[in-house]
Amino acid sequence: MFSQALQDRTRREVLQLSAAGVFTASLSGWMPLLAKAPAKGNRTKSCILLWMDGGPTHKDTWDLKPNSKGAGEFKPIKTSAPGIEISEHLPKIAGLMNHGVIVRGMSTPEGAHGRAKYYAHTGYREGQGGITYPSMGSFVARENGRVDASVPNYVAIGGRSYGSGVLGPKYQPLMVQDAGKGVEDLKAIVSQGQFDRRMSLLQEMEQAFGKEYNAETILDHKTTYERAVKLMQSPEAKAFDLSQEKSETRSKYGSGKFGEGVLMARRLVEVGVPFVEVQLGGWDTHQDNFARVKSHSQQVDAAMSSLITDLKERGLLDTTLILWMGEFGRTPNINTRGPKPGRDHYPKAWSVAMFGGGIKGGQLVGATDKEGAEVIDRKTSVQDLLGTVCEVLGIDYAKKYETSTGRPITIVEKANPFTKTIM
Amino acid sequence: MRTLRSALALLLLTALFAISADTAFTADTKKELKQAAKKAAILEKKKAAEAKKPDPIKRPDIKADDLAKVKPLTPAFLGTKGDTATVAKFVDSQVSAKLATAKLTASPLCDDSEFLRRVYLDLAGVIPTASQARTFLDSKEPAKRAKLIDDLLASPNYAKHQADLWSNLLIRKNSDNRKVDFTSFTKWLEKEFAANRPWNEMVNEMITASGEQEKAPAVGFFLSNNGVDKMADEVGKVFLGQSIQCAQCHNHPFTDYQQTEYWALANFFVKTTAGGLNTNKGQTPGVQEVNNLKRNKKNELPESYKDVPAKFLRAEAPKMTSTEPYRPVLAKWLTSSTNPFLAKAMVNRVWSQLFGVGIVNPVDDMRADNEPSHPELLEKLAADFAANKFDLKHLHRSICNSDAYQRSSKKVSGNADAEELLFARATMKVLTPEQLFDSIALATGFSTNEGKGGKAAGGKGPGQNARTQFVTFFLSGTEMSNTTEYEPGIPQALRLMNSKPISSGRAVQSLSKADSAKAIEELYLGTLSRRPTNTELSKMQSFLKNGTTAEAYGDILWVLVNCSEFTMIR
């Protein structure tokens, strides 16, 4: 609907133009248009963020220290990448380690969940600048998404989202609470003709109201409805329907909500969605760390390995970056406060993992000391990580956006990416 | 110390060079020395970086006793007791004065239909029925707006709406209290708001309540925020308008709240405990304050602040014995009419609920360097509120009767481009999920039950579960909706467009369709609280020629419920 040039204007300007009736003619084009098929040739890269909510332990997943004080109950196993060992409860992933990179030197200042999650998603501290910064899903959606895409360019499955902040409702994620149920109310319950009549009448009312009051909220409401209608009419919406997958595939990914979410993420990337976030919660293991991490690891192992293999089969692995991360790691020492041993918050040293996206797999970036407590090589900040993610996805992280407040923001500030090591 | 370290590092490095030339050392020793040197070098670098970092906030060397104290409030009536008219005039003179200084023109007063819908939603939390709308719009009474305000404040829906607003602020569901049912707390709030219980008395009860939930429902506040730190956070934010929560772990980054002050406030709750939270096992949740309460995760002060005496925020430390309850001591200071924070925080919050924007923003961050847009207005309104014994209905009544509140939201050339509105015109607000649900239920149910509106009061209508599910769905993960931004996304739009109750056209079955003009008017009045314009009427009448009559009316209702005008307060 909007030309690319108008895309970058501030919302205020858009509203002024709207009031002047500039968009009147094109507004009548609310009638559904079939989404244009993705251009053949160079496909922009997608990102699947596997968000491990609660601060996943690094010493019991990607960075085991069997000779340390708080070594824990798990044993490290060899992987398909020489020199790299990971948790015994991630065996399938171990077999695919040659496609992946583990970043063991993450080190950040935020140890409180809310603040740390915001920081990890946006690269900015909560409260900084007095604005809400956009989550990585939103800026990837903006940079790598097609303007006329019928499926939103950012989908968040299972869990809350760190949304678009100042970038506005256009880049808000489509939230899917339960992948098994798909997107509810996707189909009209009246006939196509009746639905079209309703939409046409609605659009006339909106135009008149918008002209009279000229408020930003009205434009946001229209944008949301337009996106919803577009989604209803699109063939790509079938990506949300997991019943179209064979039952063997569904069990391969795992029967839980996370497995279903990861399968849906694969389907969404297949129809060109540039950013999908799938959440697996419950990593805040102050108590009963080992039983819980084992069960979570099993879910991750099944889903993530299936995802990597399926994407490879479909020739999509090189253009899809899979990022496994949480908001911080957990203490190298084990707490025995409660009946079942646990680990507490630990942002000083933690791990994330990256697969696909064209990276040179089988590598480690950064290292921690014998205890897994201090980063002794290549300390990596959130900005370094997000900067690297941008570069892998072909995004200029130093790019600035104008916002509706008039104040420009940079996608990622102060980044020292490690892309050269892994591409 | 630094020079010593550098010397050490240098020594090690020198030794390393010397060693590598000497084959007498084993490879293992070489490796160890190399690692040690590396570690020393890293530590050295770290220290250098720390020394270079500037302290971002120039904090004076403040001792706990000397912390800058805040001036107590002096309660003072603006006119006489309960004098709505004088307060409303005062609001207007203050707002107009600032507009004049800023050279902004005020938009005209809103028309009757704008006022009608706005005040119903702001005070009763739901739109009027078609009949209620017609009555108001056709009334020729000169003081009908003031009368409507009085009627709404006296209605049961006022209390329900306030209970909705305050439940969202006071109840925090988390893993700790997930099995607790907070219905008794919400019902208590509703009862108190209906009786217009003085706000400071309500706060007093929420802070000091003890006993089982069913007998002492105000304990719900502590059950929501079970822990000395959580209580300090929420008491600070919600009652005092002070966001001190950052000062829990370090001195506040943006203001001068210190960790000692934070833990001194938290200290008032060290003897309070919640129990019986596992209702699955048939337990009854409750709260007690006991002496010699065992130290646990919830009442533990950090090691370095263990001996900090309990102290009022920016005021004195009261003398308390170890055997007396602490909470009443805090409550006495907090709910006194001279408390420097309580009245201002409430006035600011009520103002922001009615105008969409507070006099201080954000409303819970009323720190010294976050200036109010209208300092004298805030000060005197707070003084009047306190003098009127924290009478909430008086506050609502006064503000709603002002011209400032009744201004249109339409832009005029004298304020269209204003960066800071200063209340030159009303801000368009978005309905909260609760308001939206209740209004849709009313609009699609064609309730003839005028008094109760769409709220599930015991009459027929969607059950409480449907309402809770809808509200949760519309919040989609956020704690509270934002009334000045349109936040719902695609799933919410899909629900409004395609869900059966709105989409099926069942709602228009009882509509009398003999006279199309009358029927269309009924639909408009029952949704947008106004009559259609002539243009709209003829457009709708020609639309009726599509499909069957029943279908077409259903479509019109669908459009009226899905449009921006319905989901917003213009």
Side-chain angles (χ1 to χ4, degrees), chain A residues 118-250:
Chain A
Y118 177 89
Y119 191 46
H121 278 85
T122 64
Y124 289 90
R125 309 287 286 271
E126 202 171 28
Q128 189 177 348
I131 58 172
T132 307
Y133 281 87
S135 165
M136 70 174 101
S138 295
F139 58 73
V140 171
R142 182 162 167 164
E143 293 303 306
N144 282 11
R146 279 190 354 260
V147 166
D148 59 348
S150 49
V151 178
N153 289 310
Y154 173 15
V155 179
I157 305 173
R160 69 161 287 184
S161 89
Y162 289 83
S164 54
V166 282
L167 291 189
K170 201 119 174 276
Y171 302 104
Q172 286 284 50
L174 170 64
M175 308 273 300
V176 179
Q177 284 307 334
D178 186 338
K181 293 203 181 113
V183 177
E184 297 188 61
D185 296 316
L186 198 50
K187 292 192 180 15
I189 64 173
V190 298
S191 72
Q192 183 66 50
Q194 196 178 355
F195 184 81
D196 290 345
R197 278 201 302 276
R198 289 177 166 186
M199 291 310 299
S200 181
L201 187 58
L202 175 63
Q203 179 221 308
E204 287 182 47
M205 283 215 65
E206 289 300 304
Q207 212 164 303
F209 186 61
K211 209 159 157 195
E212 211 185 341
Y213 286 87
N214 197 2
E216 230 171 78
T217 45
I218 302 173
L219 192 64
D220 292 345
H221 178 273
K222 273 203 290 190
T223 308
T224 304
Y225 267 68
E226 195 208 18
R227 294 172 84 205
V229 171
K230 207 162 188 178
L231 184 62
M232 283 172 69
Q233 314 284 8
S234 74
E236 282 86 357
K238 287 202 184 71
F240 293 104
D241 185 2
L242 294 186
S243 70
Q244 306 216 344
E245 290 282 338
K246 293 205 274 274
S247 62
E248 303 96 75
T249 313
R250 294 187 72 163

Side-chain angles (χ1 to χ4, degrees), chain B residues 155-425:
Chain B
S155 74
N157 280 341
Y158 165 79
K160 289 193 171 74
H161 179 51
Q162 289 301 311
D164 276 344
L165 290 175
W166 283 92
S167 297
N168 284 331
L169 287 166
L170 295 165
I171 300 175
R172 289 273 148 267
K173 293 287 285 178
N174 53 44
S175 52
D176 193 46
N177 59 37
R178 68 186 183 282
K179 298 198 182 92
V180 176
D181 181 347
F182 286 95
T183 312
S184 62
F185 181 66
T186 309
K187 282 208 174 342
W188 173 79
L189 284 173
E190 193 183 319
K191 191 169 79 98
E192 302 298 277
F193 285 126
N196 199 26
R197 181 114 180 265
W199 175 242
N200 62 333
E201 285 184 25
M202 288 179 69
V203 173
N204 184 63
E205 199 162 331
M206 283 190 266
I207 293 179
T208 60
S210 289
E212 281 182 1
Q213 201 183 23
E214 295 312 309
K215 297 202 178 74
V219 298
F221 178 56
F222 189 87
L223 289 174
S224 256
N225 302 291
N226 184 6
V228 294
D229 52 345
K230 291 200 181 101
M231 279 302 277
D233 289 351
E234 294 306 306
V235 164
K237 257 198 321 192
V238 177
F239 297 143
L240 304 179
Q242 304 294 316
S243 284
I244 59 173
Q245 63 272 16
C246 292
Q248 178 176 355
C249 300
H250 49 69
N251 290 338
H252 200 293
F254 309 129
T255 74
D256 59 352
Y257 276 122
Q258 309 245 315
Q259 263 187 295
T260 44
E261 293 183 273
Y262 179 91
W263 291 107
L265 184 65
N267 208 344
F268 284 101
F269 298 102
V270 289
K271 301 207 279 190
T272 312
T273 178
L277 300 175
N278 196 347
T279 54
N280 286 355
K281 297 202 176 127
Q283 296 177 0
T284 313
V287 171
Q288 289 296 340
E289 183 162 0
V290 292
N291 296 322
N292 300 318
L293 182 64
K294 214 172 74 151
R295 280 275 164 276
N296 58 53
K297 204 171 59 162
K298 302 244 180 285
N299 69 0
E300 192 160 41
L301 300 176
E303 199 55 42
S304 26
Y305 298 96
K306 238 175 34 183
D307 299 318
V308 164
K311 185 176 166 300
F312 306 135
L313 203 59
R314 293 295 154 99
E316 70 277 15
K319 287 195 176 37
M320 299 190 295
T321 67
S322 61
T323 49
E324 71 177 288
Y326 290 169
R327 292 178 302 162
V329 179
L330 173 66
K332 184 152 176 257
W333 166 79
L334 213 146
T335 62
S336 141
S337 61
T338 56
N339 182 280
F341 303 105
L342 187 70
K344 278 199 196 147
M346 191 53 164
V347 164
N348 189 46
R349 197 178 284 280
V350 168
W351 184 281
S352 104
Q353 285 167 350
L354 294 172
F355 284 87
V357 183
I359 301 171
V360 178
N361 296 289
V363 292
D364 52 15
D365 198 8
M366 303 175 75
R367 54 191 150 88
D369 55 347
N370 188 12
E371 307 255 331
S373 59
H374 299 68
E376 196 190 338
L377 172 63
L378 179 63
E379 185 78 37
K380 296 225 167 100
L381 270 184
D384 180 81
F385 181 51
N388 275 285
K389 297 207 195 311
F390 297 86
D391 180 343
L392 207 48
K393 285 194 186 181
H394 164 73
L395 183 61
H396 278 118
R397 200 187 317 269
S398 306
I399 295 176
C400 291
N401 271 296
S402 70
D403 286 353
Y405 172 76
Q406 295 188 21
R407 224 141 253 162
S408 170
S409 61
K410 284 194 206 162
K411 297 178 182 174
V412 297
S413 58
N415 68 38
D417 296 316
E419 281 291 329
E420 210 192 339
L421 271 184
L422 298 173
F423 313 110
R425 61 172 190 268

Side-chain angles (χ1 to χ4, degrees), chain A residues 381-416:
Chain A
S381 66
V382 159
Q383 291 85 357
D384 296 345
L385 177 68
L386 293 184
T388 307
V389 167
C390 281
E391 290 195 328
V392 171
L393 297 177
I395 294 172
D396 174 15
Y397 65 81
K399 181 171 173 176
K400 284 190 168 25
Y401 292 141
E402 288 295 320
T403 68
S404 58
T405 62
R407 174 219 161 94
I409 60 168
T410 317
I411 296 181
V412 188
E413 262 181 9
K414 301 193 179 85
N416 180 17

Side-chain angles (χ1 to χ4, degrees), chain B residues 44-233:
Chain B
E44 174 57 40
K45 232 173 149 181
K46 203 174 170 182
K47 282 247 146 68
E50 282 296 317
K52 259 202 237 137
K53 249 192 277 182
D55 185 5
I57 308 219
K58 268 197 165 58
R59 267 186 293 270
D61 197 10
I62 296 177
K63 292 196 269 289
D65 290 336
D66 300 334
L67 282 165
K69 299 205 166 70
V70 210
K71 224 176 47 151
L73 183 76
T74 310
F77 294 117
L78 270 167
T80 55
K81 182 168 153 64
D83 189 349
T84 309
T86 308
V87 180
K89 272 204 195 71
F90 176 75
V91 166
D92 286 328
S93 66
Q94 290 287 310
V95 171
S96 303
K98 283 268 171 192
L99 290 177
T101 319
K103 296 200 180 30
L104 287 174
T105 318
S107 293
L109 289 184
C110 59
D111 65 35
D112 273 351
S113 59
E114 284 171 313
F115 174 77
L116 165 70
R117 202 166 189 269
R118 181 188 302 176
V119 80
Y120 255 89
L121 283 163
D122 281 349
L123 292 182
V126 67
I127 56 175
T129 62
S131 170
Q132 287 170 328
R134 196 178 280 115
T135 309
F136 178 80
L137 292 172
D138 294 345
S139 160
K140 300 264 188 292
E141 257 193 73
K144 67 179 180 180
R145 290 192 184 192
K147 181 166 183 305
L148 179 58
I149 291 169
D150 287 345
D151 289 345
L152 291 173
L153 285 173
S155 74
N157 280 341
Y158 165 79
K160 289 193 171 74
H161 179 51
Q162 289 301 311
D164 276 344
L165 290 175
W166 283 92
S167 297
N168 284 331
L169 287 166
L170 295 165
I171 300 175
R172 289 273 148 267
K173 293 287 285 178
N174 53 44
S175 52
D176 193 46
N177 59 37
R178 68 186 183 282
K179 298 198 182 92
V180 176
D181 181 347
F182 286 95
T183 312
S184 62
F185 181 66
T186 309
K187 282 208 174 342
W188 173 79
L189 284 173
E190 193 183 319
K191 191 169 79 98
E192 302 298 277
F193 285 126
N196 199 26
R197 181 114 180 265
W199 175 242
N200 62 333
E201 285 184 25
M202 288 179 69
V203 173
N204 184 63
E205 199 162 331
M206 283 190 266
I207 293 179
T208 60
S210 289
E212 281 182 1
Q213 201 183 23
E214 295 312 309
K215 297 202 178 74
V219 298
F221 178 56
F222 189 87
L223 289 174
S224 256
N225 302 291
N226 184 6
V228 294
D229 52 345
K230 291 200 181 101
M231 279 302 277
D233 289 351

